Amino acid sequence: MTVRTRFAPSPTGYLHVGGARTALFSWLYARKHGGKFVLRIEDTDLERSTAESVNAILEGMTWLGLEYDEGPFYQTHRFDRYNAVIDDLMEKGLAYRCNCSRERLDQLRDEAMKHKQKPRYDGHCRARDISPDKPHVIRFRNPDTGVVVVDDLIRGRVSFNNEELDDLILRRTDGSPTYNLTVVVDDMDMQISHVIRGDDHLNNTPKQINILQAMGAGLPKYGHVPMILGDDGARLSKRHGAVSVMQYREDGFLPEALLNYLVRLGWSHGDQEIFSIDEMIELFDIDAVNKAASSFNTEKLMWLNQHYIKEDDPKRIAHLLSPHMGELGIDPAEGPDLADVASAHQERARTLVEMADMSAFCYKDFEAFDPQAAKKHLRGVAREPLERMRTVLASLGDWTEESLHTAVQQVSDDLEVKMGKVAQPLRVAVVGRAASPGIDVTLRLVGKAATLRRIDLALEFIRQREANAG
């Protein structure tokens, strides 16, 4: 059997992390078994589906690298096919017209709720002859007896009594087909072998199995992935932070870090934390997915992101960093090579946004000294080291890390102080804060003219401070 999986989002919003994890699991399963991964856009909700949401989904899939083998297929392009299936079910007596009023349906629901029963349609119109020319819906004639057994790849065997299932609507009054009809027709036509989706769809599965059997179709294998919770135990939502995949890109995360994090949400391979894409494909299997819900931990994602930033090629980091520099009003072409800047900050940046903030001093003067850093390092005692450094650096012809290191060491030796007593005031003068890469790297990236200009500003800051104190 050829493995064929699918990801079938509804284009009513962004691609969220729960959907991305489901897509990843489906993609990995297909890749592991040499199968096909299909992208289907379930856009039958005509009021809520938008082109912008479709683009957001496609953009998110592309950013994550979850390339699809077939699609995207749009359900709104297949209405003729759905109607043909509904007509066939009608001819076989497996579906029927219903014109029950909203008031009657509400009354049925209220009665069921009052008696603490599961609300379901009572089959009132099953035997009625309703004109096709009057407003009506088409309902599926669900079996009255028997049990639907779902051998779930994740949850194990789950059984549903047909007596508790509904004669669900296949086609609305306006002629549009419903989700439970379109999804099974598509899964049948697209020969989907494995349906991997969120466990919020588990209750739809017996209904869909009954429709598939009514159509004479074979059944795919189902795997229902548990939901993702926030760190407070509630279902993951906007209040827990970013839930849109593309928001993580905006926040400076690498796609491989997010993929690595998502694959570990509910799945594990021993104690291994870091997985390359090839390792994910080789090691992943759906039956190893945990039955319990997983909690999203942003700190863990940060740790992974920092790992991937640290290990990546500086040239690629520079490419990804560039738009974040643009957000700060910086054109990386007007300054040091961005790959050099990225290399200098890879060890300490947790996100590309952090790296951009850390790197801004390489391209433009800062607005003010960090108060704590200035209080500690730009005192009267720092004036002589800074003045000497300015003199030495102004006369320096070769602006390399080696010559800059030698210059700082020379001033330290001349003043008979530890190198930090010179390097740290110099760092605050040039960067505006107490943390940066090595002082030699920092000075090289800032450049000679900006370094001298900023030392002058620091010396003026010290003079003003002393004058105000006096």
Side-chain angles (χ1 to χ4, degrees):
M1 177 184 68
T2 300
V3 169
R4 291 175 60 84
T5 66
R6 47 77 158 178
F7 178 51
S10 298
T12 55
Y14 45 72
L15 175 62
H16 56 81
V17 293
R21 183 185 61 163
T22 301
L24 173 61
F25 284 3
S26 297
W27 183 83
L28 288 173
Y29 195 83
R31 291 290 173 267
K32 179 182 178 70
H33 296 282
K36 300 291 186 183
F37 176 61
V38 178
L39 177 62
R40 186 167 76 221
I41 305 297
E42 298 191 337
D43 56 348
T44 56
D45 188 338
L46 302 178
E47 288 186 5
R48 297 174 61 218
S49 298
T50 65
E52 291 78 12
S53 294
V54 172
N55 290 336
I57 290 167
L58 297 179
E59 189 179 18
M61 297 282 285
T62 300
W63 182 66
L64 290 172
L66 299 178
E67 70 277 8
Y68 36 92
D69 302 298
E70 297 176 19
F73 299 109
Y74 295 85
Q75 289 187 328
T76 47
H77 297 173
R78 289 172 46 80
F79 275 21
D80 288 347
R81 170 63 177 148
Y82 304 138
N83 284 324
V85 170
I86 292 170
D87 291 343
D88 185 58
L89 291 173
M90 289 281 290
E91 284 181 23
K92 293 176 179 176
L94 297 171
Y96 61 93
R97 298 184 188 92
C98 169
N99 65 354
C100 286
S101 66
R102 170 50 57 192
E103 290 75 20
R104 183 177 190 280
L105 296 175
D106 287 343
Q107 187 177 357
L108 276 177
R109 180 179 181 83
D110 291 343
E111 283 293 317
M113 299 293 282
K114 187 191 303 181
H115 294 92
K116 297 183 178 178
Q117 297 173 342
K118 187 182 295 185
R120 60 191 294 270
Y121 182 64
D122 62 355
H124 175 71
C125 290
R126 276 188 172 193
R128 296 176 64 213
D129 186 15
I130 295 167
S131 169
D133 299 325
K134 293 184 178 180
H136 65 275
V137 300
I138 302 293
R139 288 186 182 272
F140 176 64
R141 187 185 293 270
N142 194 75
D144 295 317
T145 60
V147 175
V148 182
V149 176
V150 182
D151 284 316
D152 195 276
L153 296 167
I154 296 170
R155 300 174 64 97
R157 177 160 289 195
V158 188
S159 299
F160 301 84
N161 291 319
N162 274 320
E163 295 172 2
E164 297 181 359
L165 301 181
D166 214 355
D167 280 5
L168 53 90
I169 294 173
L170 302 180
R171 186 163 63 203
R172 302 179 184 91
T173 308
D174 65 4
S176 62
T178 60
Y179 164 78
N180 280 302
L181 183 279
T182 60
V183 70
V184 295
V185 174
D186 289 344
D187 286 344
M188 176 181 69
D189 289 355
M190 297 172 191
Q191 300 178 300
I192 301 302
S193 65
H194 293 77
V195 174
I196 298 168
R197 59 187 179 185
D199 65 359
D200 53 332
H201 286 289
L202 180 60
N203 287 333
N204 287 323
T205 302
K207 306 169 190 175
Q208 293 171 8
I209 286 175
N210 281 339
I211 298 173
L212 281 165
Q213 290 176 330
M215 294 190 304
L219 301 181
K221 297 183 186 299
Y222 292 92
H224 290 90
V225 182
M227 70 175 67
I228 301 174
L229 305 177
D231 50 18
D232 59 356
R235 185 165 191 155
L236 190 68
S237 65
K238 286 182 180 179
R239 66 187 178 84
H240 294 104
V243 289
S244 160
V245 163
M246 297 314 292
Q247 185 61 49
Y248 282 98
R249 185 181 71 172
E250 298 303 311
D251 290 345
F253 288 86
L254 303 188
E256 54 269 35
L258 186 56
L259 285 175
N260 193 151
Y261 183 72
L262 291 177
V263 82
R264 286 284 288 107
L265 268 181
W267 174 83
S268 62
H269 179 73
D271 294 328
Q272 186 171 341
E273 294 287 354
I274 309 296
F275 294 88
S276 67
I277 293 294
D278 288 342
E279 285 177 314
M280 290 185 205
I281 293 171
E282 178 188 350
L283 299 172
F284 179 81
D285 221 330
I286 196 68
D287 55 11
V289 173
N290 201 311
K291 297 178 185 178
S294 303
S295 293
F296 199 92
N297 185 324
T298 303
E299 282 303 310
K300 184 68 172 292
L301 175 57
M302 283 280 194
W303 175 81
L304 277 170
N305 202 53
Q306 186 168 24
H307 166 82
Y308 279 100
I309 287 176
K310 197 181 336 182
E311 298 295 320
D312 211 338
D313 179 355
K315 289 184 179 177
R316 178 172 181 262
I317 292 295
H319 174 71
L320 299 174
L321 179 64
S322 185
H324 296 286
M325 301 302 288
E327 288 291 320
L328 300 177
I330 293 170
D331 181 353
E334 298 175 359
D337 187 294
L338 192 55
D340 283 348
V341 173
S343 178
H345 290 91
Q346 278 179 273
E347 288 289 328
R348 57 179 70 225
R350 298 188 304 166
T351 69
L352 296 176
V353 169
E354 277 189 7
M355 185 180 283
D357 288 335
M358 289 177 178
S359 306
F361 74 86
C362 299
Y363 298 91
K364 65 178 184 179
D365 291 344
F366 45 87
E367 293 182 0
F369 296 107
D370 175 73
Q372 285 187 312
K375 183 178 180 180
K376 184 175 181 180
H377 298 291
L378 297 185
R379 298 178 293 144
V381 70
R383 190 190 326 156
E384 186 177 7
L386 286 175
E387 288 174 341
R388 292 222 188 181
M389 280 307 317
R390 195 200 187 288
T391 300
V392 172
L393 294 174
S395 63
L396 202 63
D398 191 15
W399 199 263
T400 64
E401 289 178 23
E402 294 77 9
S403 61
L404 291 165
H405 181 85
T406 300
V408 177
Q409 186 68 63
Q410 175 192 325
V411 171
S412 302
D413 292 344
D414 290 347
L415 293 174
E416 297 181 346
V417 296
K418 291 182 178 179
M419 197 168 175
K421 295 291 185 182
V422 176
Q424 203 58 6
L426 181 58
R427 175 177 281 108
V428 176
V430 173
V431 180
R433 58 179 186 267
S436 79
I439 193 63
D440 44 1
V441 176
T442 297
L443 295 176
R444 177 179 65 81
L445 292 173
V446 170
K448 186 172 183 176
T451 294
L452 298 178
R453 180 173 67 249
R454 293 178 193 178
I455 291 174
D456 288 340
L457 290 172
L459 287 169
E460 179 59 27
F461 178 88
I462 293 172
R463 280 192 288 271
Q464 290 286 345
R465 185 175 178 178
E466 288 180 326
N468 291 336

